Amino acid sequence: MGTPQFAATVLRHVLASEDVRVAAVYTQPDRPCGRGKKCHIGPVKELALESGLPIHQPLSFKDPAEVDGLAAYKPDLLIVAAYGMILPQAVLDIPRVMPINVHASLLPAWRGAAPIERAIAAGDRLTGVTIMRMVAALDAGPMIMQRALAIGAGDTAGELRVELADLGGRVLLHCLKRLRVGGVPMVEQDPAKVTYAKKIDKAEAFIDWSRPASEVHDLIRAMTPHPGAFFFWRPAADKPALRIIAHPGKVGCPLPPGARPGDILGVMDCQLGVACADAVYLIPTVVPAGKRPMDAQAFSCGYLGKCEDDAMAVCGPPEAS
């Protein structure tokens, strides 16, 4: 049971195992997306089609017929990874052994829909995956296995999701092997250490330049590639503000005299310098609304009107190419 690419990676690991037979795949209904509002299939459904597996896409399990249909498979296990649907107790009671979930955090930290983004935005330096037994509460079941993964200083949510999906698939197979030969110990989660990772609202991707540069860096990484961290810049007093997406960069030098948070300071070390509360933040690439991604020099030339070397403010020694 799963829907996005994270779940498809986990499913691919399961399908590669000679000791597991996938009886069926459950995934979210196809959703209309894009300008044409055409239905696009999700990564899990795409993989299931390639593998010739039965596919079910119920809107919910409120209909007893959907519960009965799942029970008819008589599964040993339900394996859930980023399914996007809360399962009622009637579903959790179906598998002979147990329902298990692959969650992208070190529970009890970051229960919920967006554990990867929340961990990065909070400045965490460690994350991981947890295999847990599911109960009728949000990511609250006893933990079976955990594996930690360091969060690099430049890691984005997209990059970390790829790593955690692969790690989750590998740890899951180890868990299934243990279950096959006699069971696994389970540890209850400490309620005093619970934190929640609610779904990301697009408005949260707005960059507040009055924050410290390190926090700006964490936010941009957390919102990359989706929904994309953004800010507004007004090219002139008589012109509308331009919405600009910022790609992750790095914390630069201290603020120059007179710089205010949000000021675009020009090109520094071949990156676009923007003033934060305590330092300059250096952005390698920006995406103005309706435009293609452009590097700092292209933005400076096209939007700031500075195309020559006099636009190249220095923020420490240039990096070696």
Side-chain angles (χ1 to χ4, degrees), residues 4 28 37 81 128 171 195 202 204 206 216 221 233 240 248 279 283 300:
Q28 285 280 319
K37 296 299 181 183
V171 177
T195 55
K202 290 183 179 180
E204 295 181 79
F206 176 72
V216 169
R221 293 188 300 123
W233 174 70
I283 307 171
S300 178

Side-chain angles (χ1 to χ4, degrees), residues 107-109 111 130 132 138-143 187-192 194:
L107 291 171
R111 293 179 183 178
T130 302
M132 66 176 174
L138 181 64
D139 299 328
M143 301 177 293
V187 178
E188 295 293 338
Q189 297 184 40
D190 183 349
V194 171

Side-chain angles (χ1 to χ4, degrees), residues 1-2 6-25 44 47 51 53 77-81 100-102 131 165-177 180:
M1 292 180 158
F6 179 93
T9 299
V10 174
L11 175 58
R12 195 174 293 278
H13 277 276
V14 174
L15 292 173
S17 172
E18 297 180 354
D19 300 317
V20 182
R21 182 174 69 88
V22 178
V25 166
V44 166
L47 178 55
S51 305
L53 296 169
L77 295 165
L78 293 184
I79 299 174
V80 182
I100 58 178
N101 178 266
V102 183
I131 312 296
D166 179 68
L167 178 62
R170 290 186 282 114
V171 177
L172 172 65
L173 290 186
H174 184 55
C175 175
L176 297 182
K177 181 178 180 180
R180 197 176 300 114

Side-chain angles (χ1 to χ4, degrees), residues 148-222:
L149 180 70
I151 301 177
D155 285 347
T156 66
E159 293 164 343
L160 196 58
R161 184 172 289 106
V162 170
E163 292 188 71
L164 288 171
D166 179 68
L167 178 62
R170 290 186 282 114
V171 177
L172 172 65
L173 290 186
H174 184 55
C175 175
L176 297 182
K177 181 178 180 180
R178 292 282 300 275
L179 284 169
R180 197 176 300 114
V181 298
V184 292
M186 289 185 279
V187 178
E188 295 293 338
Q189 297 184 40
D190 183 349
K193 297 181 180 179
V194 171
T195 55
Y196 288 98
K198 67 177 181 178
K199 184 178 179 180
I200 298 294
D201 187 301
K202 290 183 179 180
E204 295 181 79
F206 176 72
I207 301 171
D208 180 358
W209 297 111
S210 69
R211 306 297 299 173
S214 61
E215 294 183 14
V216 169
H217 181 57
D218 292 340
L219 174 72
I220 295 175
R221 293 188 300 123

